[in-house]
Amino acid sequence: MALDDFLLNLLEDPVDHGTMIYLADENVLYNPRLRVAYEVRGNIPVLLPDESRAVTADEHRAFTENPLRRTTGTA
């Protein structure tokens, strides 16, 4: 199950407070500016900087070019 639209509109990166890319099929929220990914566990976004992971150049390309991506923080 994907994250709710209402929640997606409220979410922002905890470090730079910008928008993120949500990829439901990957269970990840991605900040392309910082190139870090946050896991979504059981429909709960884990937005703790210590829990984020660095993203490779190939993952960055795949995440940003994914046609199913959604942008967060549009509220």
Side-chain angles (χ1 to χ4, degrees):
M1 181 177 208
L3 293 179
D4 180 81
D5 287 339
F6 178 76
L7 178 60
L8 285 176
N9 287 334
L10 297 175
L11 289 177
E12 61 181 31
D13 184 271
V15 176
D16 74 359
H17 305 285
T19 61
M20 295 181 288
I21 294 172
Y22 173 54
L23 300 150
D25 57 331
E26 302 279 341
N27 288 319
V28 71
L29 285 158
Y30 176 57
N31 180 332
R33 296 168 306 284
L34 301 177
R35 292 194 179 208
V36 294
Y38 301 93
E39 185 178 354
V40 177
R41 296 183 200 145
N43 289 333
I44 299 171
V46 182
L47 297 176
L48 301 170
D50 291 344
E51 297 272 335
S52 67
R53 67 174 177 84
V55 170
T56 66
D58 288 339
E59 285 179 304
H60 171 78
R61 189 170 23 269
F63 289 165
T64 57
E65 294 175 1
N66 186 322
L68 301 177
R69 70 187 180 279
R70 306 259 321 269
T71 302
T72 69
T74 57

